[in-house]
Structure formats: structure tokens, C-alpha cells
Amino acid sequence: WSRADPPLDFVVDLGDIIDQQCEAMGDSRRALDLVLKEFARVPVPVHHAIGNHELYNFTRSECAEFIPNITPWYRSWRPAEGWRMVILDPYDLNAIERGGGDAVEEGLDYLGRHNPNDLRAPRGSVDVSQGLQGLSRRFLPMGGGFREEQLLWLKAELASAREVGERVIVLTHVPLKPEATVPGGLVWNYEEALQVLRDAGPGVVALVLAGHYHNGGYALDEASGTHHVTLPSPLHADLDDLRSHCVIEVFRDQVEILVRGKAP
């Protein structure tokens, strides 16, 4: 990234910068510091998004304290004329957040209406996917959802972008389009999020970049003209080329994704 030509304007981490196993091994903070040390070498701003593995290892307050530039949990900025970046928090509603709290209680209540299994059992002790079929397999604890407040904020952001002639790139750890992932890797209330993107009008949201589903994927939402790209996990990088990232170049009429190493 330091040697990128032309130089980068910023870097985005889509979440899960350490693994759940760090929690079990008791070395979450050490592992996080190793990763952040590498990010600290990047000569441009680094924007972090929240993923499920951050929440396995740390409370929300610890994430905010330990990980620079990860809050506000959902936010926007304008990196260049005519373009707006939006980071979403797909764990605004969740069932896994370390330390519990309102988001977890609301998440368990929401999830319990769609998943009949014992969601409060210790992690790994029951098959929480039992009986779920098709897209209903998204209703798993490793997923999450958007509260109404965040969806209203997103709607206002997109309306504002449309009014001033900006195009938008949305960043989210968990994918929003079923065809760009598998059911278990989909936001719980993805339909609501997709409708917000569609209501903004054709072409307003040019691209949604996501992670979470390790194999990666792609889908075009014809209703909005939005390209949904799920980037593959670095865990699947080839041993002879450990890179697994991309460079995004934007123009007035197009977005180019320049793949480095593993591609969806």
C-alpha cells in the first residue's frame, strides 16, 4: 500500500482482523496489536469496519478504545468530488457481542422469531442451524442486522448524495445481496437494506463491498444498478501469492476494481 502508484487516498478494513480462536487462546489483545502495528505503517488514513470476530474478542467499548477509526459504527465521508463512502454496522443488532447489552437482547429476540433453536446455549454446544432451510439459514448468531435508526440514517445519506449529484460506495462486513454470498453469510434484514438502496434511485449506489463470506462472490442488483462484490478472505490466499485485497479507482462514469492476489 505504501508503494501504490498512483498513491492511495485511504485504506478500508472490512472487519475480522483477528480470529475467534484468539478469544479461546486468551491472546486477543496481542493478536490485535500485531495487526494494528502493520496498519500503522500505512501512510494514509485507515478506516475500520466492525465484524463478528471483533465482537467475539472484545466488547464494543474495547473495540472503540483499541481500534483506531472504527467509530462512529456507521458513518460517511467524501474522499473525492462526486463520491461518498458509507460504512455500515451490520451488527447494530446481534446475538454475539461480548458483554451483552441491549443490542444482544434485541438481537436474540429478533433471531428467536426466525430460529427455533436454543440461541442462549453456550457457543458450539447446539446446532443452531437445525431445521433452517434456504434463505432462512441467514438467521444464525454469527450474522446480524440493522436497526431502524441506522436504516433511516442510510436513507437520508443516500437522499443527500442524490440531491448533490454524488455516487456512493457502501462498505459492510456482511453482504446485502443473496446472490453475492451464501444464506449463512447474509444480513438478517437484507431486504430492508436493499430497498433503501433501490429507493435512492438507479445509479446512486454504484458499489457495495462486503466481506464475511470467505469464498467471495458477485451479483448485480438490476433494480438499483448496484454491483455487490464480496471480497474473499485472506485465509484463502494462495501460498505463492499471499495478497488478498483490491484497489478501487473511481471515475465520473465508472468504478474499476484492481485485484491484488485472491479475487472473488
Side-chain angles (χ1 to χ4, degrees):
W1 296 332
S2 301
R3 298 190 298 271
D5 185 22
L8 304 177
D9 291 302
F10 58 91
V11 169
V12 174
D13 145 45
L14 290 172
D16 284 2
I17 53 176
I18 64 172
D19 192 76
Q20 177 185 348
Q21 294 182 32
C22 298
E23 174 201 20
M25 296 173 63
D27 68 345
S28 300
R29 187 63 191 275
R30 182 194 66 83
L32 178 66
D33 287 346
L34 284 174
V35 176
L36 292 179
K37 182 180 179 181
E38 296 303 314
F39 276 119
R41 298 169 55 191
V42 179
V44 294
V46 177
H47 300 268
H48 294 280
I50 193 75
N52 51 309
H53 285 261
E54 281 83 5
L55 295 176
Y56 292 142
N57 284 276
F58 304 108
T59 65
R60 282 269 180 170
S61 60
E62 288 173 334
C63 286
E65 178 184 354
F66 300 156
I67 305 174
N69 208 14
I70 198 172
T71 59
W73 303 112
Y74 50 93
R75 58 202 186 273
S76 70
W77 75 97
R78 297 175 175 86
E81 183 178 355
W83 288 91
R84 186 180 304 203
M85 308 295 300
V86 169
I87 288 183
L88 298 180
D89 176 7
Y91 291 98
D92 192 15
L93 198 62
N94 74 85
I96 59 171
E97 188 173 322
R98 192 177 179 90
D102 292 342
V104 171
E105 289 305 312
E106 290 181 41
L108 287 169
D109 180 67
Y110 179 92
L111 206 54
R113 298 197 295 270
H114 303 279
N115 185 325
N117 298 294
D118 184 1
L119 302 171
R120 295 183 182 271
R123 194 186 314 147
S125 63
V126 300
D127 180 3
V128 293
S129 67
Q130 185 174 353
L132 301 180
Q133 301 292 327
L135 287 177
S136 291
R137 291 183 64 85
R138 72 184 185 276
F139 296 116
L140 297 173
M142 70 175 179
F146 304 111
R147 285 172 162 143
E148 183 179 4
E149 180 180 353
Q150 184 174 179
L151 291 172
L152 290 174
W153 172 87
L154 177 59
K155 182 176 182 178
E157 281 288 322
L158 300 184
S160 170
R162 183 182 63 241
E163 289 172 5
V164 297
E166 293 175 343
R167 303 193 71 192
V168 179
I169 295 176
V170 173
L171 308 164
T172 170
H173 179 70
V174 185
L176 308 181
K177 191 85 166 71
E179 297 83 359
T181 181
V182 293
L186 191 62
V187 165
W188 292 341
N189 54 342
Y190 76 89
E191 304 104 322
E192 295 176 69
L194 280 180
Q195 194 59 53
V196 172
L197 270 57
R198 292 165 179 166
D199 288 346
V204 173
V205 180
L207 176 66
V208 174
L209 282 175
H212 196 53
Y213 176 47
H214 288 192
N215 289 340
Y218 168 79
L220 172 65
D221 184 43
E222 294 185 359
S224 61
T226 302
H227 298 271
H228 290 255
V229 177
T230 304
L231 298 174
S233 169
L235 292 173
H236 291 192
D238 297 328
L239 290 178
D240 57 352
D241 186 352
L242 295 177
R243 298 176 302 168
S244 183
H245 66 277
C246 64
V247 175
I248 307 294
E249 294 187 352
V250 298
F251 304 86
R252 293 185 63 182
D253 60 345
Q254 66 184 31
V255 176
E256 292 187 1
I257 302 178
L258 310 177
V259 174
R260 303 291 186 263
K262 188 74 174 176

